[in-house]
C-alpha cells in the first residue's frame, strides 16, 4: 500500500483518484490506521454497508440532506428524561436486535426486551410490599414474583428496577409538573427465597411519544405508535448478566403489533385474582388483579460462553473464517 508523510511526520495511506466505485476502498485505506482492532472492524463494516446502501438506492443529495436534518431534529428532541434516539432505535427494531445479540439467553432463562426511552435513575429504593403508583384511577394490581438461577436456586439480594405508566398511559417524566418524588417506579430487592413483590396498577396500552421526529416518521410509514399493556423490569446482581425485560398482559390491544417490537411470547402473561389468603398475607383486597412470574437470571460466565459460541457460529455463517472472538466480539485475525 502506497503511503505519504503528513504534516506531523506520520505515515498515511495515499488515496486514489476518488470515484463511485473506489470511494469505499479509499475510506477503508485511511481508516486502516486505527489501532483498535474492534473499532477498525466496526467502521469497516459500517462504511461498507452505508456505501452499498447509497449505491443500491441511488441516494439523492436531497434525500441525504433530509436524513441529516432528520437526525439533527432527533438529537434536539433528546432531554435528560426523554431519549429520542433510543425511541428511533426502538421503532427500527435495532434495540431488540442489539439486546438479543449482546445478552443471549439459554432456553431455560427469561428473555430480555427493549429498555425504552423512559427509564430513570431516581426511582426510590423501597422494600417488598411497596406501592409504586399513586394513581387513584388505576386498577390495583399485586405483583408477586421470584428470581432464580438456571439451576432453580433462589437469588437473594437481586435489585429489581420496575416502572410503568399511570392509568392514562403516561410515564411520570412526561408531565411538566413532575414532582421531586418519582411515581410509577421503584427499586425492590429479592429476599432469601428469591421472592419480591409490590403493589402497582394494571398496565394499559399507551402511545409512544408521537410529538417528535420519531412520531413523524411512523406517520410517514403508515404505522401506529401504540404499545400493548406492560410492566418494565430490570435486574441487577453481582455475578449475573444484567436483565432488561418486561411482562406483557395477555389479550392487550397491540399485542401483535407493538410499535417497538418488544413483545415475545415467553413474556406474555395472564392476570389472576388475589385469593382471600393472599389478600391477608399481602394486605390487599380479595379479588385484586394478580401478576405472577418466575424470572430466571443467567450468570456472567454462562452469558460469556453463549455470546462467544454464537459469535463463532455467526461468523462461520457469513463466511468470515478469518475472524477471532475477543470478549464475545469478532475482530479480524491478522496473524
Amino acid at each position: 500500500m502506497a503511503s505519504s508523510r503528513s504534516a506531523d511526520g506520520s505515515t498515511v495511506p495515499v488515496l486514489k483518484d476518488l470515484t463511485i466505485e473506489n470511494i469505499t476502498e479509499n475510506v477503508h485505506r485511511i481508516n486502516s490506521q486505527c489501532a483498535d482492532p474492534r473499532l477498525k472492524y466496526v467502521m469497516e463494516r459500517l462504511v461498507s454497508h452505508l456505501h452499498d446502501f447509497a449505491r443500491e438506492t441511488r441516494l439523492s443529495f436531497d434525500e441525504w440532506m433530509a436524513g441529516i436534518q432528520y437526525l439533527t431534529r432527533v438529537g434536539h428532541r433528546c432531554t435528560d428524561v426523554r431519549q429520542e434516539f433510543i425511541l428511533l432505535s426502538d421503532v427500527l427494531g435495532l434495540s431488540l436486535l442489539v439486546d438479543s445479540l449482546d445478552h443471549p439467553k439459554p432456553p431455560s432463562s427469561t428473555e430480555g426486551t427493549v429498555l425504552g426511552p423512559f427509564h430513570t435513575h431516581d426511582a426510590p429504593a423501597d422494600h417488598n410490599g411497596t406501592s409504586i403508583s399513586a394513581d387513584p384511577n388505576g386498577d390495583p394490581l399485586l405483583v408477586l414474583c421470584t428470581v432464580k438461577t438456571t439451576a432453580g436456586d433462589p437469588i437473594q439480594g437481586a435489585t429489581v428496577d420496575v416502572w410503568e405508566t399511570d392509568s392514562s398511559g403516561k410515564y411520570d417524566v412526561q408531565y411538566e409538573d413532575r414532582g421531586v418524588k418519582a411515581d410509577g417506579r421503584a427499586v425492590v430487592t429479592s429476599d432469601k427465597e428469591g421472592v419480591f413483590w409490590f403493589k402497582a396498577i394494571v398496565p394499559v396500552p399507551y402511545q409512544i411519544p408521537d410529538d417528535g421526529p420519531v412520531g413523524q416518521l411512523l406517520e410517514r410509514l403508515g404505522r401506529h405508535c401504540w404499545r400493548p399493556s406492560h410492566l418494565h423490569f430490570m435486574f441487577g446482581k453481582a455475578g449475573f448478566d444484567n436483565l432488561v425485560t418486561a411482562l406483557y398482559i395477555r389479550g392487550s390491544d397491540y399485542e401483535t403489533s407493538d410499535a417497538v417490537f418488544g413483545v415475545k411470547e415467553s413474556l406474555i402473561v395472564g392476570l389472576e385474582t388475589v385469593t382471600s389468603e393472599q389478600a391477608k398475607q399481602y394486605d390487599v383486597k380479595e379479588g385484586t388483579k394478580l401478576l405472577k412470574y418466575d424470572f430466571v437470571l443467567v450468570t456472567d460466565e454462562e452469558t460469556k460462553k453463549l455470546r462467544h459460541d454464537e459469535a463463532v457460529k455467526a461468523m462461520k455463517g457469513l463466511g468470515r473464517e478469518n475472524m477471532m472472538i475477543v470478549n464475545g466480539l469478532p475482530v479480524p485475525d491478522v496473524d
Side-chain angles (χ1 to χ4, degrees):
M1 179 186 296
S3 61
S4 64
R5 294 286 180 179
S6 65
D8 63 3
S10 61
T11 301
V12 296
V14 173
L15 301 183
K16 299 179 180 180
D17 185 32
L18 303 180
T19 66
I20 292 174
E21 290 74 22
N22 73 16
I23 180 61
T24 307
E25 174 190 346
N26 277 279
V27 176
H28 291 335
R29 285 165 66 87
I30 203 73
N31 284 350
S32 67
Q33 303 170 100
C34 179
D36 183 332
R38 173 63 181 177
L39 176 58
K40 183 164 64 176
Y41 175 62
V42 169
M43 289 302 300
E44 187 265 333
R45 299 316 304 153
L46 175 63
V47 169
S48 293
H49 288 296
L50 282 176
H51 287 200
D52 285 346
F53 164 76
R55 281 187 283 259
E56 180 182 344
T57 62
R58 307 301 297 179
L59 193 67
S60 72
F61 185 89
D62 287 344
E63 290 170 328
W64 171 82
M65 180 56 70
I68 296 294
Q69 292 172 339
Y70 177 78
L71 292 177
T72 300
R73 293 198 303 274
V74 171
H76 287 165
R77 198 65 180 83
C78 295
T79 69
D80 290 342
V81 293
R82 172 169 171 173
Q83 238 301 349
E84 193 80 359
F85 268 112
I86 289 182
L87 195 63
L88 177 59
S89 176
D90 289 349
V91 303
L92 295 177
L94 181 60
S95 299
L96 188 73
L97 175 59
V98 171
D99 178 78
S100 299
L101 290 170
D102 199 40
H103 298 277
K105 307 295 183 188
S108 59
S109 66
T110 302
E111 293 187 279
T113 188
V114 295
L115 174 69
F118 290 121
H119 173 260
T120 71
H121 296 281
D122 63 352
D126 290 319
H127 53 77
N128 274 328
T130 189
S131 180
I132 73 169
S133 177
D135 184 356
N137 299 315
D139 189 5
L141 175 71
L142 173 63
V143 181
L144 178 57
C145 301
T146 65
V147 54
K148 298 179 180 180
T149 68
T150 53
D153 299 320
I155 300 175
Q156 181 179 6
T159 59
V160 190
D161 200 336
V162 297
W163 66 103
E164 67 169 338
T165 70
D166 61 16
S167 59
S168 67
K170 288 187 176 181
Y171 290 96
D172 57 350
V173 294
Q174 292 181 273
Y175 291 99
E176 293 184 2
D177 59 348
R178 182 190 190 232
V180 176
K181 181 176 172 58
D183 187 43
R185 307 174 186 274
V187 179
V188 298
T189 305
S190 60
D191 64 19
K192 64 180 181 180
E193 300 299 329
V195 174
F196 66 92
W197 64 280
F198 57 91
K199 302 169 187 176
I201 60 173
V202 175
V204 298
Y206 66 84
Q207 292 177 287
I208 62 173
D210 62 352
D211 58 344
V214 173
Q216 294 165 6
L217 175 63
L218 292 182
E219 185 177 4
R220 287 289 302 273
L221 293 172
R223 289 173 52 184
H224 71 72
C225 56
W226 284 88
R227 297 214 65 201
S229 307
H230 64 278
L231 183 62
H232 290 276
F233 297 81
M234 183 163 64
F235 292 81
K237 172 71 175 179
F240 289 87
D241 188 45
N242 188 58
L243 172 65
V244 176
T245 192
L247 295 180
Y248 298 86
I249 308 305
R250 188 175 303 280
S252 171
D253 291 339
Y254 313 106
E255 178 184 307
T256 58
S257 62
D258 182 9
V260 303
F261 307 100
V263 180
K264 297 180 179 180
E265 183 61 35
S266 67
L267 301 177
I268 300 175
V269 296
L271 295 183
E272 304 175 26
T273 55
V274 170
T275 65
S276 58
E277 182 179 343
Q278 290 171 328
K280 294 177 182 178
Q281 182 177 357
Y282 298 106
D283 190 27
V284 296
K285 292 182 179 179
E286 183 178 353
T288 296
K289 297 295 185 182
L290 172 65
L291 187 157
K292 296 181 67 178
Y293 198 83
D294 297 318
F295 292 92
V296 178
L297 301 189
V298 185
T299 66
D300 288 334
E301 286 304 312
E302 288 177 294
T303 300
K304 182 179 179 180
K305 183 180 185 305
L306 191 56
R307 189 186 294 123
H308 178 278
D309 292 346
E310 292 194 356
V312 170
K313 181 180 179 181
M315 290 303 99
K316 288 183 178 179
L318 291 171
R320 295 183 173 272
E321 303 291 344
N322 63 329
M323 306 298 291
M324 61 180 178
I325 308 301
V326 179
N327 294 326
L329 301 173
V331 296
D333 187 352
V334 296
D335 293 333

